[in-house]
Amino acid sequence: MQSALFKASRQLGRGPNHEFTDRLARRIMTLYDRGLRDEEVIAFAAVEQEELLANIAALRESRLSA
């Protein structure tokens, strides 16, 4: 799981002390607990979910400031 976390963090351009590292780690653990075992697949899914959350947050912020 740690390898998946490193891969996902690198793909997201985040360092180990990023504010959302804990959230990403929990997401990876959840994916593992749901049966995923391939670290590449886990990292890919975690990145996709993190990017989706970032897009949702950006949309909400833009609607609040409009």
Side-chain angles (χ1 to χ4, degrees), residues 5 7 9-10 12 18-19 23-24 28 30 32 35 43 49 51 53 56-57 61 64-66:
L5 177 60
K7 287 178 187 216
S9 293
R10 199 170 349 162
L12 291 165
H18 189 274
E19 65 178 313
R23 182 177 74 189
L24 181 60
I28 287 170
T30 299
Y32 184 85
Q49 291 177 18
E51 289 176 340
L53 283 174
I56 291 169
E61 187 174 312
L64 291 175
S65 62

Side-chain angles (χ1 to χ4, degrees), residues 1 6 11 16 23 27-28 33-34 39 43 47 50 53 57 65-66:
M1 284 190 287
F6 291 148
Q11 290 174 22
R23 182 177 74 189
R27 185 168 315 288
I28 287 170
D33 288 345
R34 290 185 178 169
E39 67 185 43
V47 167
E50 283 292 304
L53 283 174
S65 62

Side-chain angles (χ1 to χ4, degrees), residues 14-46:
R14 297 178 181 175
N17 297 321
H18 189 274
E19 65 178 313
F20 296 131
T21 298
D22 288 342
R23 182 177 74 189
L24 181 60
R26 286 191 306 273
R27 185 168 315 288
I28 287 170
M29 287 186 275
T30 299
L31 292 165
Y32 184 85
D33 288 345
R34 290 185 178 169
L36 294 178
R37 295 295 182 262
D38 185 313
E39 67 185 43
E40 296 288 333
V41 172
I42 292 171
F44 177 80

